Amino acid sequence: MAQAKSKMTPLLRWEWMVGLSPVVATILAYLALTNLSLAGQAVGFTAGFLDGLCAAGLPAFWCRVSKPVTLLTAVQFLAFLWFILASAYMFWRVRFAPSYQKPPAYSPGSASLFEMASWGGIWLFMLIGGQIFPYRGVPLAEPSLLFAMLGLSLALLSLRMLAVALRFRT
């Protein structure tokens, strides 16, 4: 029986690891900052970085977090920095690395322009701080960590789909 062709392809082990790494990064950042007496430095770093970012006038949701910066804001910001690194790695490895093979069930050209724009839109929304969108103007709470972890992971997996579609388009 012939294998069905699709734009939805199984993820390789490393793609799962990178895609779900914001979950691990958030948990590790939270545990490290609460148990290793690093909260003060992390909060100071986050406050300084956000002051510089927001002074530049960038359209980021990070500029709308309540002041003063809290431990949860620092945890989410560190996870966000990890997301940026993981995004660069995921996109480069899927789109440009010579060793990346076309997924066996992938049908080149099967992703429409709308689908590719949607995947890119999800990733861009998280890039401007979409994981904290529900908390603009109010202090972050522990449930925000769950939304952040899942949102950043969804964005990384969307970026993977976009990179596959761009690499193997016809």
Side-chain angles (χ1 to χ4, degrees), residues 7 10 15 29 33 37 46 52 56 61 67 71 86 88 96 101 116 122 127 137 152 154 159 170:
K7 64 183 150 278
E15 290 171 327
L33 294 181
S37 303
T46 302
F61 291 120
K67 303 291 184 201
L71 174 65
F96 298 110
Q101 300 295 317
M116 290 190 293
I122 291 168
L127 184 65
L152 294 175
L154 171 67
L159 183 65
T170 55

Side-chain angles (χ1 to χ4, degrees), residues 63-77:
C63 297
R64 298 181 186 160
V65 295
S66 63
K67 303 291 184 201
V69 171
T70 64
L71 174 65
L72 288 177
T73 306
V75 168
Q76 288 213 20
F77 190 70

Side-chain angles (χ1 to χ4, degrees), residues 2-82:
Q3 188 173 8
K5 296 292 183 178
S6 169
K7 64 183 150 278
M8 302 304 289
T9 60
L11 294 157
L12 301 172
R13 181 176 296 144
W14 74 265
E15 290 171 327
W16 275 115
M17 290 171 53
V18 173
L20 297 176
S21 67
V23 174
V24 176
T26 303
I27 292 169
L28 287 177
Y30 186 75
L31 292 174
L33 294 181
T34 56
N35 293 323
L36 299 177
S37 303
L38 298 172
Q41 295 92 333
V43 167
F45 169 77
T46 302
F49 200 96
L50 291 180
D51 287 344
L53 176 78
C54 298
L58 294 176
F61 291 120
W62 285 105
C63 297
R64 298 181 186 160
V65 295
S66 63
K67 303 291 184 201
V69 171
T70 64
L71 174 65
L72 288 177
T73 306
V75 168
Q76 288 213 20
F77 190 70
L78 291 174
F80 176 73
L81 293 178
W82 175 258

